[in-house]
Amino acid sequence: MFGSVRFWQGWSIAATIGALFAVVASFDFSDPAPGPDYVAIVGALDAEPLWVIGANLEEGVVTARAVTARATGDTAYHLWLVRGKGEPLAIGTLPVNSAQASIPISDTIATLLGHGRTVGVSRGSAGEEADAESVSFEHRANLTRV
């Protein structure tokens, strides 16, 4: 039986089919996690970015990753949706010191981000509510569709 060519051919076919099945079973056929629709790099053009901002409008989330932004005392950085001549809309507080944050956004802000895609960063005291009427932006960036 072990000396038969047909026996070994049968075993090699069975082993090949088993190996192919194992390879196919190990593939991940699930849909990839949705990435951002828009991305903005916030900071001076001639320096490393302070933050990388991503907006996933379908999920209703803005993600922010601090690259070189550092905490100074009780200072907080606020992210805004900048609108032409209208008042800016507050999006949320940005992370510092290499941290990441996911900021849920309203349907209104998601819709507006889909049309006018400029964000601004202001600085204020930590714990203090940002005031849209008197806000001044230290940085502005355009969200670019990916």
Side-chain angles (χ1 to χ4, degrees):
M1 178 166 112
F2 292 117
S4 168
V5 173
R6 289 209 182 260
F7 174 78
W8 291 112
Q9 285 176 339
W11 269 108
S12 67
I13 290 172
T16 302
I17 290 171
L20 287 173
F21 178 76
V23 168
V24 170
S26 69
F27 287 144
D28 183 13
F29 293 106
S30 63
D31 290 332
D37 298 319
Y38 298 93
V39 174
I41 308 297
V42 178
L45 293 175
D46 58 344
E48 286 189 62
L50 295 168
W51 292 276
V52 175
I53 309 293
N56 186 324
L57 304 183
E58 185 177 313
E59 297 288 322
V61 174
V62 168
T63 56
R65 184 173 59 89
V67 179
T68 60
R70 301 286 175 239
T72 55
D74 68 341
T75 300
Y77 296 96
H78 302 283
L79 183 65
W80 298 82
L81 169 63
V82 179
R83 302 185 311 164
K85 296 185 195 258
E87 277 188 9
L89 296 175
I91 295 175
T93 303
L94 290 171
V96 292
N97 301 331
S98 301
Q100 264 186 286
S102 290
I103 306 165
I105 57 174
S106 68
D107 291 340
T108 303
I109 290 180
T111 301
L112 292 171
L113 278 174
H115 297 292
R117 295 174 291 275
T118 301
V119 292
V121 176
S122 68
R123 186 187 336 204
S125 296
E128 180 181 297
E129 195 65 33
D131 182 23
E133 291 178 6
S134 62
V135 69
S136 64
F137 300 115
E138 290 190 7
H139 303 283
R140 289 178 189 238
N142 291 325
L143 286 164
T144 304
R145 187 163 184 81
V146 227

